Amino acid sequence: MEKTLDPPATPRPFRQMWPKSWSYRTSLLLLCFAFGAWLVYRSPTDQIPNAFPAKTLCDSDEPIKRVAIIGAGSGGASAAYYINQFQSQCDRINITVYERSSYVGGRSTTVNAYNDPTEPVELGASIFVEVNKNLVSAARRFGLTTQGFKASQTEELRKTLGVWDGDNWVFLGSESGWWNTVKILWKYGMAPLRTQSLMKKIVGAFLKLYEEPHFPFRDLSQTAYDLGLTEATAATGEQFLQRNGIQPPFTTDLIQASTRVNYAQNLDQIHGLESMVCMSTDGAMSVQGGNWQIFDNMLRASHANLLLNTSVTNIYRQPNGTYGLDAVSASTDLSASTSIQPTSYDTIILAAPLQFANLKLTPAPLSPPPKIPYVRLHVTLFTSPHTLDPKHFHTVYPVPTTILTTLSANPNISLQFYSFSTLRTLINPKTKQKEYLYKIFSPEPIKPSYLLTLLSPILATPYPYDEYDERDVSWIYEKVWHSYPYLPPRVTFEDIQLDEEGKVWYTSGIESFISTMETSSLMGMNVARLVVDGWEKGKEAVSTLEDGQVGMTGGDEEL
């Protein structure tokens, strides 16, 4: 049977290949758009069938850049982390971080209430805020859980705020909420709004430190001047606020209470910029389990070699241009120590106040960071089944969970503490009873004879309260910090680069400008960028020199 073939299909006109609703012009435009998109987004290897993706060819002889960082706090951890982030694809980097303490985080660390690891409490830096770019982004990147002030509020422990002058409450309210805002505006008029506006202006200028053309900055003094921030650092907080139309009692009641709890300094002592930092509290948060985890994760992500319990005693330039250092490692019980084998480094980053580092630097810095006085802050953590005694604070109502302080108009009244906070309730593992966890910042040690007069009722400790009975104070931990520098007005700040060649760097100079976890991290990031940029310029210089030598050789051959 003969098979009949169907006639070839008649080609459809071009226009009939598109929906009737499309015009000829629309169809052409779509084709042009599709072809243009293919040209833009196609891979360079699209023209080569079965081609492998292009790879950057790195020189296997690329020398390893060795970096030593002294200090594993915010500045040191951030320097290590951002060097790893900023390095080029072909850089070969080896980072060693020396930390004389047994833990990471510097002044951001926790201790365990009742020595129970499930009950950590911040001993130092407690919070950061939403404008703290580095800390907020790092917490998110590392998947750390953060909590705000309201997270710890319960029905049995509602967060309230009071400002005490040693004789009277100059302010009573809550730590947040619209009603608290109404009370503040009712009492202080426009001063809070002016303060908020001024604070936002200052924060806006500060945030430019993270951006080009200001970042990275080699000279903090010049950059602060360029951004208009030395206008605030040149005056005391009191002068700066008055100049901007912000007067007592708002300044003395609330702003000074903030400078005292944050920096243990009054408005007539601390410079205006740091006073504004104290008022930037929007979105205050902390990492569950301790803020130190941010810096621990930074160090892990940097792949740095971390040496805890290790003190650097000597840093010296070697004839070949590298730096050597001497270090001593203490055993965990601190009963013995051993010297670390000397190692050569291309870059040294001092990420701790040089005046407390107890090390020798040779040659001496071109402009040695001057010794500046630091606050000796006493921190007392304790647990008790007792609440604070309202009678001591001249009230019949429950004492606020956060007590800040300000100076009294009566010069005969002295204050024993900067702040006294009821952090949360706990269950005593021995008694199985509910207790309160308290935290005190003070200029001097808190003695039992004073502390026990604040609690009610005292059940077991005999008068005159020379020591604690565990039925009244079940657990106590005391720590003295060199917590932050005194911050008087100034317009110049310590150098970032300490040598001529760009091999020795210093992060702690930013502390007399603004002393926070975030600003230490910013300076660590800034130094990291400067270090990596210096390496890239060095490569370019070598490449240019080699190209010049090749050209000269070729010319000689032609001659």
Side-chain angles (χ1 to χ4, degrees), residues 105-125:
R107 285 163 286 178
S108 175
T109 188
T110 58
V111 295
N112 300 321
Y114 307 119
N115 300 314
D116 180 355
T118 66
E119 295 290 358
V121 55
E122 292 283 1
L123 184 61

mmCIF file of all heavy atoms in Angstrom, residues 105-125:
data_model
loop_
_atom_site.group_PDB
_atom_site.id
_atom_site.type_symbol
_atom_site.label_atom_id
_atom_site.label_comp_id
_atom_site.label_asym_id
_atom_site.label_seq_id
_atom_site.Cartn_x
_atom_site.Cartn_y
_atom_site.Cartn_z
ATOM 1 N N GLY A 105 36.594 38.553 74.362
ATOM 2 C CA GLY A 105 35.569 39.579 74.541
ATOM 3 C C GLY A 105 36.018 40.814 75.282
ATOM 4 O O GLY A 105 35.311 41.815 75.304
ATOM 5 N N GLY A 106 37.211 40.768 75.916
ATOM 6 C CA GLY A 106 37.697 41.946 76.631
ATOM 7 C C GLY A 106 36.758 42.346 77.751
ATOM 8 O O GLY A 106 36.438 41.543 78.632
ATOM 9 N N ARG A 107 36.275 43.589 77.681
ATOM 10 C CA ARG A 107 35.376 44.092 78.724
ATOM 11 C C ARG A 107 33.930 43.655 78.496
ATOM 12 O O ARG A 107 33.037 44.053 79.240
ATOM 13 C CB ARG A 107 35.482 45.614 78.800
ATOM 14 C CG ARG A 107 36.749 46.102 79.468
ATOM 15 C CD ARG A 107 37.041 47.550 79.178
ATOM 16 N NE ARG A 107 37.525 47.728 77.823
ATOM 17 C CZ ARG A 107 37.817 48.913 77.287
ATOM 18 N NH1 ARG A 107 37.673 50.003 78.006
ATOM 19 N NH2 ARG A 107 38.246 49.001 76.052
ATOM 20 N N SER A 108 33.714 42.849 77.465
ATOM 21 C CA SER A 108 32.402 42.248 77.259
ATOM 22 C C SER A 108 32.495 40.785 77.665
ATOM 23 O O SER A 108 32.970 39.940 76.908
ATOM 24 C CB SER A 108 31.991 42.361 75.779
ATOM 25 O OG SER A 108 30.781 41.684 75.547
ATOM 26 N N THR A 109 32.067 40.491 78.883
ATOM 27 C CA THR A 109 32.187 39.129 79.386
ATOM 28 C C THR A 109 31.068 38.854 80.384
ATOM 29 O O THR A 109 30.433 39.783 80.891
ATOM 30 C CB THR A 109 33.559 38.905 80.048
ATOM 31 O OG1 THR A 109 33.727 37.528 80.375
ATOM 32 C CG2 THR A 109 33.706 39.730 81.314
ATOM 33 N N THR A 110 30.841 37.590 80.635
ATOM 34 C CA THR A 110 29.793 37.193 81.572
ATOM 35 C C THR A 110 30.379 36.373 82.707
ATOM 36 O O THR A 110 31.461 35.800 82.590
ATOM 37 C CB THR A 110 28.712 36.340 80.865
ATOM 38 O OG1 THR A 110 29.334 35.190 80.286
ATOM 39 C CG2 THR A 110 28.005 37.132 79.785
ATOM 40 N N VAL A 111 29.655 36.330 83.802
ATOM 41 C CA VAL A 111 29.926 35.384 84.887
ATOM 42 C C VAL A 111 28.625 34.640 85.144
ATOM 43 O O VAL A 111 27.538 35.073 84.714
ATOM 44 C CB VAL A 111 30.431 36.077 86.164
ATOM 45 C CG1 VAL A 111 31.773 36.718 85.929
ATOM 46 C CG2 VAL A 111 29.422 37.116 86.652
ATOM 47 N N ASN A 112 28.717 33.534 85.828
ATOM 48 C CA ASN A 112 27.555 32.687 86.056
ATOM 49 C C ASN A 112 27.023 32.852 87.478
ATOM 50 O O ASN A 112 27.734 32.593 88.452
ATOM 51 C CB ASN A 112 27.911 31.218 85.814
ATOM 52 C CG ASN A 112 28.378 30.975 84.392
ATOM 53 O OD1 ASN A 112 27.839 31.563 83.443
ATOM 54 N ND2 ASN A 112 29.376 30.123 84.221
ATOM 55 N N ALA A 113 25.783 33.314 87.579
ATOM 56 C CA ALA A 113 25.161 33.418 88.900
ATOM 57 C C ALA A 113 25.087 32.030 89.532
ATOM 58 O O ALA A 113 24.766 31.050 88.857
ATOM 59 C CB ALA A 113 23.761 34.008 88.763
ATOM 60 N N TYR A 114 25.372 31.956 90.823
ATOM 61 C CA TYR A 114 25.437 30.695 91.572
ATOM 62 C C TYR A 114 26.478 29.731 90.981
ATOM 63 O O TYR A 114 26.433 28.534 91.241
ATOM 64 C CB TYR A 114 24.079 29.967 91.580
ATOM 65 C CG TYR A 114 22.906 30.765 92.030
ATOM 66 C CD1 TYR A 114 21.832 30.991 91.166
ATOM 67 C CD2 TYR A 114 22.830 31.274 93.321
ATOM 68 C CE1 TYR A 114 20.711 31.702 91.575
ATOM 69 C CE2 TYR A 114 21.715 31.992 93.739
ATOM 70 C CZ TYR A 114 20.660 32.207 92.861
ATOM 71 O OH TYR A 114 19.554 32.917 93.278
ATOM 72 N N ASN A 115 27.383 30.260 90.125
ATOM 73 C CA ASN A 115 28.339 29.413 89.408
ATOM 74 C C ASN A 115 27.625 28.379 88.529
ATOM 75 O O ASN A 115 28.152 27.305 88.232
ATOM 76 C CB ASN A 115 29.278 28.694 90.385
ATOM 77 C CG ASN A 115 30.068 29.681 91.225
ATOM 78 O OD1 ASN A 115 30.604 30.654 90.703
ATOM 79 N ND2 ASN A 115 30.115 29.446 92.534
ATOM 80 N N ASP A 116 26.446 28.750 88.072
ATOM 81 C CA ASP A 116 25.612 27.887 87.238
ATOM 82 C C ASP A 116 25.707 28.374 85.790
ATOM 83 O O ASP A 116 25.269 29.492 85.486
ATOM 84 C CB ASP A 116 24.169 27.954 87.724
ATOM 85 C CG ASP A 116 23.225 27.084 86.899
ATOM 86 O OD1 ASP A 116 23.661 26.496 85.892
ATOM 87 O OD2 ASP A 116 22.039 27.002 87.271
ATOM 88 N N PRO A 117 26.273 27.592 84.868
ATOM 89 C CA PRO A 117 26.449 28.043 83.480
ATOM 90 C C PRO A 117 25.144 28.332 82.755
ATOM 91 O O PRO A 117 25.166 28.955 81.691
ATOM 92 C CB PRO A 117 27.208 26.885 82.820
ATOM 93 C CG PRO A 117 27.009 25.711 83.710
ATOM 94 C CD PRO A 117 26.840 26.247 85.088
ATOM 95 N N THR A 118 24.013 27.912 83.291
ATOM 96 C CA THR A 118 22.734 28.230 82.661
ATOM 97 C C THR A 118 22.217 29.601 83.073
ATOM 98 O O THR A 118 21.158 30.029 82.604
ATOM 99 C CB THR A 118 21.676 27.170 82.999
ATOM 100 O OG1 THR A 118 21.387 27.212 84.400
ATOM 101 C CG2 THR A 118 22.142 25.775 82.611
ATOM 102 N N GLU A 119 22.960 30.296 83.956
ATOM 103 C CA GLU A 119 22.536 31.614 84.430
ATOM 104 C C GLU A 119 23.631 32.660 84.214
ATOM 105 O O GLU A 119 24.139 33.272 85.154
ATOM 106 C CB GLU A 119 22.154 31.560 85.917
ATOM 107 C CG GLU A 119 20.952 30.704 86.233
ATOM 108 C CD GLU A 119 19.646 31.323 85.733
ATOM 109 O OE1 GLU A 119 19.684 32.436 85.170
ATOM 110 O OE2 GLU A 119 18.600 30.692 85.925
ATOM 111 N N PRO A 120 24.032 32.912 82.951
ATOM 112 C CA PRO A 120 25.061 33.926 82.715
ATOM 113 C C PRO A 120 24.512 35.334 82.919
ATOM 114 O O PRO A 120 23.326 35.597 82.685
ATOM 115 C CB PRO A 120 25.429 33.696 81.241
ATOM 116 C CG PRO A 120 24.182 33.150 80.624
ATOM 117 C CD PRO A 120 23.547 32.299 81.700
ATOM 118 N N VAL A 121 25.371 36.221 83.363
ATOM 119 C CA VAL A 121 24.991 37.623 83.540
ATOM 120 C C VAL A 121 26.156 38.488 83.075
ATOM 121 O O VAL A 121 27.315 38.175 83.343
ATOM 122 C CB VAL A 121 24.612 37.915 85.008
ATOM 123 C CG1 VAL A 121 25.740 37.521 85.961
ATOM 124 C CG2 VAL A 121 24.265 39.384 85.208
ATOM 125 N N GLU A 122 25.832 39.559 82.361
ATOM 126 C CA GLU A 122 26.865 40.449 81.834
ATOM 127 C C GLU A 122 27.593 41.142 82.977
ATOM 128 O O GLU A 122 26.972 41.735 83.859
ATOM 129 C CB GLU A 122 26.268 41.505 80.909
ATOM 130 C CG GLU A 122 25.716 40.970 79.596
ATOM 131 C CD GLU A 122 26.795 40.636 78.580
ATOM 132 O OE1 GLU A 122 27.987 40.805 78.900
ATOM 133 O OE2 GLU A 122 26.441 40.200 77.471
ATOM 134 N N LEU A 123 28.916 41.071 82.924
ATOM 135 C CA LEU A 123 29.739 41.731 83.934
ATOM 136 C C LEU A 123 30.197 43.102 83.454
ATOM 137 O O LEU A 123 30.409 44.013 84.247
ATOM 138 C CB LEU A 123 30.958 40.864 84.259
ATOM 139 C CG LEU A 123 31.896 41.349 85.358
ATOM 140 C CD1 LEU A 123 31.168 41.449 86.693
ATOM 141 C CD2 LEU A 123 33.094 40.413 85.485
ATOM 142 N N GLY A 124 30.352 43.238 82.139
ATOM 143 C CA GLY A 124 30.842 44.499 81.593
ATOM 144 C C GLY A 124 29.842 45.109 80.637
ATOM 145 O O GLY A 124 28.719 45.442 81.015
ATOM 146 N N ALA A 125 30.264 45.248 79.361
ATOM 147 C CA ALA A 125 29.427 45.887 78.347
ATOM 148 C C ALA A 125 28.129 45.103 78.170
ATOM 149 O O ALA A 125 28.144 43.955 77.745
ATOM 150 C CB ALA A 125 30.193 45.978 77.032
#
